[in-house]
Short mmCIF file of all heavy atoms in Angstrom, two decimals:
data_model
loop_
_atom_site.label_atom_id
_atom_site.label_comp_id
_atom_site.label_asym_id
_atom_site.label_seq_id
_atom_site.Cartn_x
_atom_site.Cartn_y
_atom_site.Cartn_z
N ILE G 23 19.45 -0.62 -1.80
CA ILE G 23 20.12 -1.14 -2.99
C ILE G 23 19.66 -2.57 -3.24
O ILE G 23 19.80 -3.43 -2.36
CB ILE G 23 21.66 -1.12 -2.81
CG1 ILE G 23 22.14 0.30 -2.52
CG2 ILE G 23 22.35 -1.67 -4.06
CD1 ILE G 23 23.63 0.39 -2.18
N THR G 24 19.13 -2.83 -4.44
CA THR G 24 18.76 -4.20 -4.79
C THR G 24 19.97 -4.90 -5.40
O THR G 24 20.89 -4.26 -5.92
CB THR G 24 17.58 -4.23 -5.77
OG1 THR G 24 18.01 -3.73 -7.04
CG2 THR G 24 16.42 -3.40 -5.24
N GLY G 25 19.96 -6.23 -5.33
CA GLY G 25 21.13 -6.97 -5.82
C GLY G 25 22.35 -6.67 -4.98
O GLY G 25 23.46 -6.50 -5.50
N GLY G 26 22.16 -6.63 -3.66
CA GLY G 26 23.24 -6.19 -2.76
C GLY G 26 24.12 -7.29 -2.22
O GLY G 26 24.99 -7.03 -1.39
N SER G 27 23.90 -8.52 -2.66
CA SER G 27 24.67 -9.64 -2.09
C SER G 27 26.11 -9.67 -2.56
O SER G 27 26.97 -10.24 -1.87
CB SER G 27 24.02 -10.97 -2.47
OG SER G 27 22.72 -11.08 -1.94
N ALA G 28 26.38 -9.12 -3.73
CA ALA G 28 27.73 -9.23 -4.31
C ALA G 28 27.88 -8.17 -5.38
O ALA G 28 26.97 -7.39 -5.65
CB ALA G 28 27.91 -10.63 -4.90
N GLY G 29 29.05 -8.15 -5.99
CA GLY G 29 29.29 -7.30 -7.15
C GLY G 29 29.09 -5.81 -6.87
O GLY G 29 29.44 -5.31 -5.80
N LEU G 30 28.51 -5.13 -7.85
CA LEU G 30 28.35 -3.68 -7.74
C LEU G 30 27.47 -3.30 -6.56
O LEU G 30 27.75 -2.32 -5.86
CB LEU G 30 27.75 -3.14 -9.04
CG LEU G 30 27.43 -1.64 -9.06
CD1 LEU G 30 28.70 -0.82 -8.83
CD2 LEU G 30 26.77 -1.26 -10.38
N GLY G 31 26.40 -4.05 -6.31
CA GLY G 31 25.50 -3.70 -5.21
C GLY G 31 26.21 -3.70 -3.87
O GLY G 31 26.05 -2.76 -3.07
N LEU G 32 27.00 -4.73 -3.62
CA LEU G 32 27.74 -4.80 -2.36
C LEU G 32 28.83 -3.74 -2.29
O LEU G 32 29.02 -3.10 -1.25
CB LEU G 32 28.34 -6.20 -2.19
CG LEU G 32 29.23 -6.41 -0.97
CD1 LEU G 32 28.48 -6.07 0.32
CD2 LEU G 32 29.75 -7.84 -0.93
N ALA G 33 29.53 -3.53 -3.40
CA ALA G 33 30.59 -2.52 -3.41
C ALA G 33 30.01 -1.13 -3.14
O ALA G 33 30.59 -0.33 -2.38
CB ALA G 33 31.31 -2.54 -4.75
N LEU G 34 28.86 -0.83 -3.74
CA LEU G 34 28.25 0.48 -3.55
C LEU G 34 27.72 0.62 -2.12
O LEU G 34 27.88 1.69 -1.50
CB LEU G 34 27.12 0.66 -4.55
CG LEU G 34 26.45 2.03 -4.60
CD1 LEU G 34 27.48 3.14 -4.79
CD2 LEU G 34 25.42 2.07 -5.72
N ALA G 35 27.12 -0.44 -1.57
CA ALA G 35 26.65 -0.39 -0.18
C ALA G 35 27.82 -0.12 0.76
O ALA G 35 27.72 0.69 1.70
CB ALA G 35 25.97 -1.71 0.19
N THR G 36 28.94 -0.78 0.53
CA THR G 36 30.12 -0.58 1.38
C THR G 36 30.64 0.85 1.26
O THR G 36 30.97 1.50 2.26
CB THR G 36 31.22 -1.57 0.97
OG1 THR G 36 30.71 -2.92 1.05
CG2 THR G 36 32.44 -1.43 1.88
N GLY G 37 30.67 1.36 0.03
CA GLY G 37 31.16 2.72 -0.19
C GLY G 37 30.28 3.76 0.48
O GLY G 37 30.77 4.74 1.05
N LEU G 38 28.96 3.57 0.40
CA LEU G 38 28.05 4.51 1.05
C LEU G 38 28.14 4.42 2.57
O LEU G 38 28.13 5.44 3.27
CB LEU G 38 26.61 4.24 0.60
CG LEU G 38 26.28 4.59 -0.85
CD1 LEU G 38 24.86 4.14 -1.19
CD2 LEU G 38 26.41 6.10 -1.10
N ALA G 39 28.24 3.20 3.10
CA ALA G 39 28.37 3.03 4.56
C ALA G 39 29.63 3.70 5.07
O ALA G 39 29.63 4.27 6.18
CB ALA G 39 28.37 1.55 4.90
N GLU G 40 30.69 3.64 4.30
CA GLU G 40 31.94 4.31 4.71
C GLU G 40 31.78 5.82 4.73
O GLU G 40 32.57 6.52 5.34
CB GLU G 40 33.07 3.90 3.76
CG GLU G 40 33.50 2.44 3.95
CD GLU G 40 34.50 1.98 2.92
OE1 GLU G 40 34.76 2.73 1.94
OE2 GLU G 40 35.03 0.87 3.08
N ARG G 41 30.75 6.31 4.04
CA ARG G 41 30.43 7.75 4.07
C ARG G 41 29.31 8.04 5.07
O ARG G 41 28.66 9.08 4.97
CB ARG G 41 30.01 8.22 2.69
CG ARG G 41 31.16 8.48 1.74
CD ARG G 41 30.65 9.24 0.54
NE ARG G 41 31.72 9.83 -0.24
CZ ARG G 41 31.54 10.78 -1.13
NH1 ARG G 41 30.32 11.28 -1.33
NH2 ARG G 41 32.54 11.27 -1.82
N ASP G 42 29.04 7.11 5.95
CA ASP G 42 28.04 7.28 7.02
C ASP G 42 26.60 7.29 6.51
O ASP G 42 25.73 7.91 7.13
CB ASP G 42 28.32 8.56 7.83
CG ASP G 42 29.61 8.46 8.62
OD1 ASP G 42 30.00 7.34 9.00
OD2 ASP G 42 30.24 9.51 8.83
N TRP G 43 26.38 6.61 5.38
CA TRP G 43 25.00 6.37 4.97
C TRP G 43 24.49 5.13 5.70
O TRP G 43 25.26 4.20 5.98
CB TRP G 43 24.93 6.07 3.47
CG TRP G 43 25.02 7.26 2.57
CD1 TRP G 43 26.09 8.10 2.42
CD2 TRP G 43 24.03 7.71 1.64
NE1 TRP G 43 25.82 9.05 1.48
CE2 TRP G 43 24.57 8.84 0.97
CE3 TRP G 43 22.76 7.27 1.30
CZ2 TRP G 43 23.86 9.53 -0.01
CZ3 TRP G 43 22.05 7.97 0.32
CH2 TRP G 43 22.60 9.09 -0.31
N ASP G 44 23.21 5.11 6.00
CA ASP G 44 22.54 3.88 6.43
C ASP G 44 21.96 3.23 5.17
O ASP G 44 21.27 3.90 4.38
CB ASP G 44 21.43 4.20 7.43
CG ASP G 44 21.98 4.71 8.76
OD1 ASP G 44 23.02 4.17 9.20
OD2 ASP G 44 21.41 5.65 9.32
N VAL G 45 22.25 1.94 5.00
CA VAL G 45 21.92 1.28 3.74
C VAL G 45 21.16 -0.02 4.00
O VAL G 45 21.56 -0.83 4.83
CB VAL G 45 23.20 0.95 2.93
CG1 VAL G 45 22.83 0.37 1.57
CG2 VAL G 45 24.08 2.18 2.78
N VAL G 46 20.06 -0.19 3.28
CA VAL G 46 19.34 -1.47 3.25
C VAL G 46 19.71 -2.17 1.95
O VAL G 46 19.61 -1.57 0.88
CB VAL G 46 17.81 -1.26 3.32
CG1 VAL G 46 17.09 -2.61 3.18
CG2 VAL G 46 17.43 -0.57 4.62
N ILE G 47 20.20 -3.40 2.05
CA ILE G 47 20.47 -4.18 0.85
C ILE G 47 19.50 -5.35 0.78
O ILE G 47 19.03 -5.85 1.81
CB ILE G 47 21.92 -4.69 0.79
CG1 ILE G 47 22.27 -5.56 2.01
CG2 ILE G 47 22.88 -3.54 0.64
CD1 ILE G 47 23.65 -6.22 1.91
N THR G 48 19.21 -5.75 -0.45
CA THR G 48 18.31 -6.88 -0.63
C THR G 48 18.86 -7.82 -1.70
O THR G 48 19.56 -7.39 -2.61
CB THR G 48 16.89 -6.40 -0.99
OG1 THR G 48 16.04 -7.55 -1.09
CG2 THR G 48 16.88 -5.63 -2.29
N GLY G 49 18.57 -9.10 -1.55
CA GLY G 49 18.99 -10.13 -2.49
C GLY G 49 18.24 -11.40 -2.16
O GLY G 49 17.64 -11.53 -1.09
N ARG G 50 18.27 -12.36 -3.08
CA ARG G 50 17.43 -13.55 -2.91
C ARG G 50 17.98 -14.55 -1.91
O ARG G 50 17.21 -15.22 -1.22
CB ARG G 50 17.21 -14.21 -4.27
CG ARG G 50 16.32 -13.41 -5.20
CD ARG G 50 16.22 -14.06 -6.56
NE ARG G 50 17.53 -14.09 -7.24
CZ ARG G 50 17.72 -14.58 -8.43
NH1 ARG G 50 16.72 -15.10 -9.10
NH2 ARG G 50 18.92 -14.56 -8.99
N ASP G 51 19.29 -14.69 -1.80
CA ASP G 51 19.91 -15.70 -0.95
C ASP G 51 20.15 -15.11 0.44
O ASP G 51 21.03 -14.26 0.61
CB ASP G 51 21.23 -16.17 -1.57
CG ASP G 51 21.83 -17.35 -0.83
OD1 ASP G 51 21.86 -17.32 0.42
OD2 ASP G 51 22.27 -18.31 -1.49
N GLU G 52 19.37 -15.57 1.42
CA GLU G 52 19.43 -14.97 2.75
C GLU G 52 20.81 -15.10 3.39
O GLU G 52 21.32 -14.15 3.99
CB GLU G 52 18.38 -15.62 3.66
CG GLU G 52 18.28 -14.97 5.03
CD GLU G 52 17.11 -15.52 5.83
OE1 GLU G 52 16.45 -16.48 5.36
OE2 GLU G 52 16.84 -14.99 6.92
N THR G 53 21.43 -16.28 3.26
CA THR G 53 22.75 -16.49 3.86
C THR G 53 23.80 -15.59 3.22
O THR G 53 24.58 -14.92 3.91
CB THR G 53 23.17 -17.96 3.71
OG1 THR G 53 22.20 -18.79 4.35
CG2 THR G 53 24.53 -18.21 4.31
N ARG G 54 23.79 -15.57 1.90
CA ARG G 54 24.76 -14.76 1.18
C ARG G 54 24.56 -13.27 1.46
O ARG G 54 25.52 -12.52 1.63
CB ARG G 54 24.62 -15.04 -0.32
CG ARG G 54 25.74 -14.52 -1.17
CD ARG G 54 25.51 -14.90 -2.62
NE ARG G 54 26.61 -14.49 -3.46
CZ ARG G 54 26.54 -14.40 -4.78
NH1 ARG G 54 25.41 -14.71 -5.39
NH2 ARG G 54 27.58 -14.01 -5.48
N LEU G 55 23.29 -12.87 1.54
CA LEU G 55 23.00 -11.45 1.81
C LEU G 55 23.44 -11.06 3.22
O LEU G 55 24.00 -9.97 3.42
CB LEU G 55 21.51 -11.19 1.64
CG LEU G 55 21.09 -9.72 1.72
CD1 LEU G 55 21.53 -8.97 0.47
CD2 LEU G 55 19.58 -9.59 1.90
N GLY G 56 23.21 -11.95 4.19
CA GLY G 56 23.64 -11.67 5.55
C GLY G 56 25.15 -11.52 5.65
O GLY G 56 25.66 -10.63 6.35
N GLU G 57 25.87 -12.39 4.95
CA GLU G 57 27.33 -12.29 4.94
C GLU G 57 27.77 -10.98 4.29
O GLU G 57 28.73 -10.33 4.75
CB GLU G 57 27.92 -13.48 4.18
CG GLU G 57 27.74 -14.81 4.91
CD GLU G 57 28.19 -15.99 4.07
OE1 GLU G 57 28.55 -15.78 2.89
OE2 GLU G 57 28.17 -17.12 4.58
#
Side-chain angles (χ1 to χ4, degrees):
I23 302 174
T24 69
S27 298
L30 176 60
L32 176 56
L34 186 54
T36 304
L38 290 174
E40 290 174 351
R41 280 193 165 197
D42 294 331
W43 282 65
D44 292 321
V45 185
V46 176
I47 58 173
T48 183
R50 290 176 296 181
D51 187 315
E52 185 173 6
T53 301
R54 193 178 184 197
L55 187 72
E57 291 173 355

